[in-house]
Amino acid sequence: NAGVTQTPKFQVLKTGQSMTLQCAQDMNHEYMSWYRQDPGMGLRLIHYSVGAGITDQGEVPNGYNVSRSTTEDFPLRLLSAAPSQTSVYFCASSFVAVVPYEQYFGPGTRLTVT
Amino acid sequence: AQKITQTQPGMFVQEKEAVTLDCTYDTSDQSYGLFWYKQPSSGEMIFLIYQGSYDEQNATEGRYSLNFQKARKSANLVISASQLGDSAMYFCAMREATSGTYKYIFGTGTRLKVLA
């Protein structure tokens, strides 16, 4: 089991560029989510999905798009990067109905927007 | 609205002593789950312990226990016999299960430093 994988680990973008952060899990988890972590802010939920074809917005969705065409993959797209999107991004997955439904996290992507 | 509050940005504890990290939550749901995660300086997120809203007993996992006081909406993490390797950031989180949406919300974290 690879668990939750994220690529890339590091990325530098210029303002206005777009890119996709990849996330995949091999645990057959229904639930997947994206967070951003900023100093002093904890983890803030960007988007989440409870299954293939179903996505919803979290606390800070503006500037980001997601899709969930398969159970395994949940890519996060930055449409037009801004310096305010400089952050560490975590993808996570979990079962929906299997206690304790803890989230398994990927290693994170450190994104810098200049 | 769903909310997690961790009021201690930083804590120090002497090695081998116990420490309590505070967490309060706000929710209108009857069914919810509470979690604690550890984030060492290496950056990965490690699940520590879970408490369900209907669980009558406080959860325990080794040296970790969750002091769940439902009426006060608090879910404090107690680490007994602290070790140097416990130095890390600790996050409290909650999962609501309203109408089929399963949002996990995190607090801002507490940075724990264990002193030798």
Side-chain angles (χ1 to χ4, degrees):
Chain A
N1 268 5
V4 180
T5 58
Q6 288 184 240
T7 56
K9 288 197 168 178
F10 301 94
Q11 183 70 48
V12 179
L13 288 178
K14 292 189 186 317
T15 297
Q17 287 184 318
S18 62
M19 79 158 296
T20 299
L21 306 186
Q22 301 291 345
C23 174
Q25 52 93 10
D26 61 358
M27 296 172 282
N28 209 29
H29 287 162
E30 306 96 337
Y31 186 94
M32 295 187 75
S33 55
W34 277 102
Y35 297 89
R36 58 178 290 173
Q37 183 176 20
D38 303 293
M41 306 286 284
L43 279 78
R44 292 184 292 169
L45 181 64
I46 304 172
H47 286 286
Y48 65 99
S49 167
V50 296
I54 306 168
T55 63
D56 207 345
Q57 296 180 350
E59 300 171 82
V60 288
N62 291 342
Y64 308 95
N65 268 359
V66 291
S67 59
R68 183 100 180 266
S69 55
T70 66
T71 300
E72 295 78 20
D73 300 298
F74 191 45
L76 178 73
R77 279 180 286 279
L78 278 70
L79 309 172
S80 176
S84 61
Q85 293 179 304
T86 293
S87 188
V88 179
Y89 291 85
F90 286 98
C91 178
S93 72
S94 69
F95 288 116
V96 164
V98 177
V99 176
Y101 21 72
E102 79 271 27
Q103 291 191 280
Y104 292 75
F105 283 81
T109 295
R110 187 173 293 274
L111 176 69
T112 302
V113 182
T114 60
Chain B
Q2 190 184 19
K3 188 177 180 181
I4 293 282
T5 301
Q6 294 180 255
T7 57
Q8 306 154 312
M11 292 274 289
F12 291 94
V13 65
Q14 208 64 38
E15 195 178 9
K16 298 179 187 165
E17 291 187 350
V19 63
T20 298
L21 306 184
D22 293 342
C23 172
T24 58
Y25 62 91
D26 190 18
T27 179
S28 54
D29 266 19
Q30 297 302 309
S31 176
Y32 52 89
L34 297 157
F35 307 80
W36 278 91
Y37 289 84
K38 173 183 179 182
Q39 186 179 43
S41 57
S42 51
E44 73 267 32
M45 295 288 288
I46 303 167
F47 166 69
L48 296 178
I49 197 166
Y50 163 81
Q51 179 86 40
S53 59
Y54 294 116
D55 295 340
E56 295 186 353
Q57 304 266 18
N58 285 344
T60 59
E61 288 288 347
R63 294 185 299 110
Y64 304 109
S65 60
L66 198 153
N67 185 359
F68 181 45
Q69 297 187 43
K70 194 169 182 177
R72 296 181 60 191
K73 294 191 173 178
S74 76
N76 298 340
L77 177 71
V78 181
I79 306 174
S80 62
S82 296
Q83 302 172 355
L84 296 177
D86 294 334
S87 293
M89 195 76 165
Y90 289 82
F91 291 100
C92 180
M94 175 171 65
R95 187 192 94 149
E96 284 187 336
T98 305
S99 306
T101 66
Y102 301 94
K103 283 187 181 180
Y104 291 79
I105 297 296
F106 284 74
T108 52
T110 295
R111 186 172 298 282
L112 178 67
K113 175 72 174 172
V114 181
L115 305 172

